[in-house]
Amino acid sequence: MASLKSLKKQAQEEITKTRDLKELDTIFKKYLGKRGKITQILSKIKNLRKEKRVKVGKEANLLKNFIKQKIETRAKKMRDISASAEETGVIDITIPGKRPLFGHLHPLTQVQKKVEEIFQSLGFSVVEGPEIETEWYNFDALNIPKDHPARDAWNTLWLKDSELLLRTQTSPVQIRYMEKNNPPLRIIAPGRTFRHEATDASHEVNFYQVEGLMIDKKVSAANFRAIIQEFFQRFFSESAEASREGGGKQIKIRIRPSYFPFTEPSFEVDMSCLNCQGKGCSACSQTGWMEMMGAGMVHPNVYKAVGLNPKNWQGFAFGMGLDRLAMMKYKINDIRLFYSGDLRFLQQF
Ligand code: DAH
C-alpha cells in the first residue's frame, strides 16, 4: 500500500514534467505498459491473502485509472500548443513563426483595374450601372424593340413576376449616362453581365464586360481605331510574354463590318494573334486573328432615346468581354476557372 502511494506521487510528478507526447508515452509505458509498474503489481496480487488482495487490488486499479486520466489530460493540453505554453511557462522562441497568408485580387479584378487605368489615361471616366435592368435600358433604348429578331442574340434571364431582367450586356450604362450627362463625353463602364446559356469552356451564365462610349461634335471611326489600337498595345505589351521577349511587340488590329442594332455602321475588331503573331496557329484557328470586340458609330435612334439630336453629335461605342481579355493575357483556356474558387488556379496570379 505504501509503495502504491509513493508510485502515485512519483507518476504525478513525472507527468507534470513531460514536455511532449513522446515523453508522455514513455511514462505511460513505465507505469501502465505490459511490463509497467502498476501492471506488475496487478499481476502479483493473486498471491496475496484475500483481505489484502481486495484492498490492494482496489487501490491499484484506482491508481491505474488515475494515471491514465492524468496522461490523457496532459496529452490534450499538449495538443493545444498555446495551452501547453501557458502551463509550462515555456515558449520555444526557436520555433519558426507562422507566415500569415495574404490574399490578393482576383485575376478578373486585376484585369479590370488595368483596363480602367489605360482608359483613364486616355481621358475616359469609369462609370457603373445596375446589374438588374429594365427592358427599356437593356433593349428598347438601344434600338432593340420588342419584336425585333435581334433580341434573340441575347439569351435573357428575366426576373420572376416582374418586368425586370439581369442585364445581358453593359450597353445600357451608355443610356443611363447620356440621360444625365451631356456630350462631349468619354466613358467606360465595366461590370457583370448575365446570359441564359449552357456553360462550356468559353461560355458562362455570368461574365464581365467593358462598355466604351465617346461622343463629341466630331468623332470618327478613325478616332476609334486609334484609341483601340493604343489600348490593346498597352494592355498586351505588359503581359509577361511580351516583356520576356523584349519589351512588347507591335499589336495589329483590323476592323470588319458587322451588325449591332445600336450602331451604324457596326464593326467587329480583331487583333493579331498573340500566340503566333499573325502567322496562324491552333489558338486562332489558323487565321492569325482573334476576335476582340463589337463596336460601331452610335445609331441615331440611340441619341433620340436619350433626347439628343443625332444631327449635332458623333461618337463611337464598343463592348468587349473582360473574361476574354484575361484569358488571352494569361493564356487561360476555360472561362469557368475564374468562377471555380479553386485556389490552385487563383494563386497563380
Ligand atoms: N453589347 C454587345 C454585346 O454584348 C457588345 C457591343 C457591340 C457593345 C457594339 C457596343 C457596340 O457598345 O457598339 O454583344
Side-chain angles (χ1 to χ4, degrees), residues 154 169 171 174 195 209 211 260 262-263 294-296 317-319:
W154 292 274
Q169 46 186 349
S171 305
Q174 289 183 25
R195 292 203 193 158
Q209 284 192 337
E211 190 73 15
F260 296 101
F262 29 91
T263 44
F318 61 86

Side-chain angles (χ1 to χ4, degrees), residues 125-338:
S125 307
V126 180
V127 303
E128 281 185 346
E131 289 168 3
I132 295 175
E133 266 300 4
T134 63
E135 224 178 326
W136 168 256
Y137 287 108
N138 197 76
F139 291 123
D140 300 85
L142 288 162
N143 198 33
I144 318 170
K146 222 182 197 70
D147 301 316
H148 196 285
R151 275 209 186 185
D152 294 346
W154 292 274
N155 305 318
T156 310
L157 287 160
W158 294 88
L159 297 195
K160 218 173 170 182
D161 305 326
S162 83
E163 302 283 288
L164 299 171
L165 51 88
L166 296 181
R167 66 176 175 192
T168 60
Q169 46 186 349
T170 43
S171 305
V173 188
Q174 289 183 25
I175 306 297
R176 288 185 175 273
Y177 191 79
M178 283 194 283
E179 276 179 346
K180 296 219 170 89
N181 301 273
N182 285 322
L185 53 90
R186 284 185 219 199
I187 54 156
I188 60 160
R192 202 171 174 196
T193 48
F194 308 84
R195 292 203 193 158
H196 181 237
E197 264 173 342
T199 58
D200 60 28
S202 45
H203 295 88
E204 253 296 352
V205 281
N206 158 143
F207 55 103
Y208 285 79
Q209 284 192 337
V210 196
E211 190 73 15
L213 180 70
M214 174 169 174
I215 296 184
D216 207 329
K217 292 276 173 210
K218 277 192 174 3
V219 173
S220 69
N223 295 134
F224 168 72
R225 197 181 207 292
I227 282 177
I228 288 311
Q229 164 78 49
E230 181 66 20
F231 166 71
F232 283 136
Q233 188 65 44
R234 287 203 214 168
F235 183 81
F236 286 108
S237 70
E238 282 164 27
S239 65
E241 297 74 32
S243 55
R244 210 184 300 133
E245 289 162 27
K249 296 175 205 73
Q250 190 62 31
I251 282 166
K252 287 199 222 85
I253 61 167
R254 75 174 182 186
I255 287 174
R256 288 180 289 118
S258 183
Y259 172 75
F260 296 101
F262 29 91
T263 44
E264 179 58 36
S266 303
F267 17 88
E268 201 91 37
V269 182
D270 297 344
M271 180 181 82
S272 49
C273 177
L274 290 171
N275 213 26
C276 62
Q277 270 70 52
K279 288 184 207 84
C281 67
S282 60
C284 58
S285 318
Q286 310 302 328
T287 62
W289 296 97
M290 308 198 118
E291 284 177 28
M292 295 306 296
M293 62 163 76
M297 303 308 290
V298 177
H299 196 286
N301 288 351
V302 173
Y303 292 111
K304 284 181 199 158
V306 294
L308 291 173
N309 185 345
K311 293 210 172 70
N312 299 338
W313 304 103
Q314 278 186 348
F316 62 76
F318 61 86
M320 62 182 151
L322 264 183
D323 307 71
R324 198 168 157 70
L325 274 182
M327 286 166 85
M328 290 193 173
K329 192 174 171 94
Y330 301 122
K331 298 199 161 55
I332 296 162
N333 58 14
D334 195 324
I335 187 173
R336 292 168 293 192
L337 284 167
F338 290 126

Side-chain angles (χ1 to χ4, degrees), residues 113 310 312 348:
K113 291 209 158 198
N312 299 338
Q348 297 174 70

